[in-house]
């Protein structure tokens, strides 16, 4: 995996510069992520609005944070059954205007799972993965530019969840996630899981991810 080249010049405002640096540090897992990183970098540098200001699709392309909670001892990942999407997804939410994405993760983790966000040693407070995805459905369909973070928590610590957003939660091993039919998950969940497994292996081996 090789990180994409950062833009030669940063956008004028600090939040764009910060986002540009953040995604420029992500090593692409495959050609699709490489293409998504390029799309996101051009979108940020191009001056388009980045943050959702009105539900569900204003502007039609906006920034989202996923956080994949992992129980290290049990080797399991937390997925939530999202009411609107009708899919099993990581928890997450939209980035508020000029909000640092890590602050979004902290805020949404508290709101949706009622736990403190603890960054995984695999990634720290940086996203492991990026996707650009058109949401399902007709009216209100839009494009999410999603930063995927990894958090550490024990399954026992998650005792509640936002029932307005989710109908259920599940803890699955990486193998169980990969065995789940793709149409039931976020369309990039299998790819993320493989990248996470690779990153953990490199971390255990003492290789910088």
């Amino acid at each position: 995996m090789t990180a994409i080249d950062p833009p030669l010049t940063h956008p004028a405002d600090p939040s764009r510069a910060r986002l540009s640096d953040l995604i420029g540090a992500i090593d692409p897992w495959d050609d699709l992520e490489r293409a998504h990183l390029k799309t996101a970098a051009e979108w940020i540098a191009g001056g388009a609005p980045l943050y959702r200001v009105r539900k569900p699709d204003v502007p039609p392309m906006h920034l989202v944070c996923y956080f994949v909670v992992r129980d290290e001892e049990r080797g399991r990942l937390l997925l939530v059954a999202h009411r609107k999407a009708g899919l099993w997804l990581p928890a997450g939410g939209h980035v508020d205007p000029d909000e640092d994405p890590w602050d979004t993760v902290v805020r949404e983790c508290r709101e949706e799972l009622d736990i403190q966000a603890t960054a995984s040693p695999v990634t720290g407070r940086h996203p492991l993965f990026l996707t650009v995805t058109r949401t399902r459905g007709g009216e209100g369909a839009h494009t999410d530019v999603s930063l995927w973070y990894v958090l550490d928590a024990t399954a026992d610590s998650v005792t509640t969840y936002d029932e307005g957003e989710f109908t259920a939660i599940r803890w699955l091993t990486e193998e169980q996630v990969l065995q789940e039919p793709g149409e039931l998950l976020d369309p990039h969940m299998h790819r993320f899981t493989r990248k996470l497994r690779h990153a953990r292996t490199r971390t255990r081996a003492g290789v910088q991810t």
Side-chain angles (χ1 to χ4, degrees):
M1 297 184 293
T2 304
I4 63 169
D5 292 333
L8 294 179
T9 58
H10 283 310
D13 66 272
S15 62
R16 288 183 188 272
R18 185 172 63 244
L19 285 172
S20 181
D21 288 342
L22 199 62
I23 69 167
I26 297 174
D27 289 338
W29 171 242
D30 53 19
D31 287 343
L32 180 55
E33 187 173 17
R34 186 173 290 105
H36 284 182
L37 287 166
K38 183 175 184 292
T39 296
E42 293 173 347
W43 171 63
I44 293 167
L50 305 178
Y51 308 101
R52 191 181 72 173
V53 295
R54 188 168 73 248
K55 298 181 180 180
D57 58 351
V58 180
M61 186 169 178
H62 48 254
L63 195 63
V64 170
C65 285
Y66 273 151
F67 48 93
V68 180
V69 181
R70 188 173 190 278
D71 184 324
E72 179 67 27
E73 182 177 347
R74 296 176 175 86
R76 294 178 182 271
L77 306 179
L78 178 66
L79 295 181
V80 300
H82 196 277
R83 289 186 182 276
K84 291 183 179 179
L87 298 171
W88 287 94
L89 311 170
H94 292 85
V95 182
D96 286 343
D98 297 320
E99 184 178 39
D100 185 278
W102 174 253
D103 292 338
T104 304
V105 171
V106 172
R107 172 174 55 79
E108 291 286 348
C109 189
R110 176 61 65 189
E111 291 176 1
E112 296 187 346
L113 302 177
D114 196 28
I115 61 172
Q116 179 64 40
T118 301
S120 167
V122 175
T123 56
R125 296 183 176 187
H126 303 282
L128 175 67
F129 193 55
L130 180 139
T131 57
V132 180
T133 310
R134 184 73 177 169
T135 62
R136 302 198 310 183
E139 185 177 357
H142 56 274
T143 298
D144 286 337
V145 177
S146 303
L147 297 165
W148 296 56
Y149 289 79
V150 185
L151 303 181
D152 275 358
T154 63
D156 294 342
S157 70
V158 182
T159 59
T160 186
Y161 59 88
D162 184 349
E163 296 184 13
E165 294 279 347
F166 317 134
T167 59
I169 63 174
R170 296 170 68 191
W171 289 92
L172 301 174
T173 66
E174 291 169 2
E175 284 303 321
Q176 288 172 328
V177 172
L178 293 173
Q179 291 167 7
E180 284 286 301
E183 62 269 19
L184 301 181
L185 306 172
D186 179 280
H188 305 290
M189 191 68 211
H190 285 167
R191 294 173 52 245
F192 168 83
T193 302
R194 293 188 180 98
K195 186 176 185 181
L196 174 60
R197 186 163 59 183
H198 177 78
R200 288 194 304 100
T201 299
R202 288 170 62 87
T203 299
R204 285 197 301 268
V207 179
Q208 184 68 34
T209 56

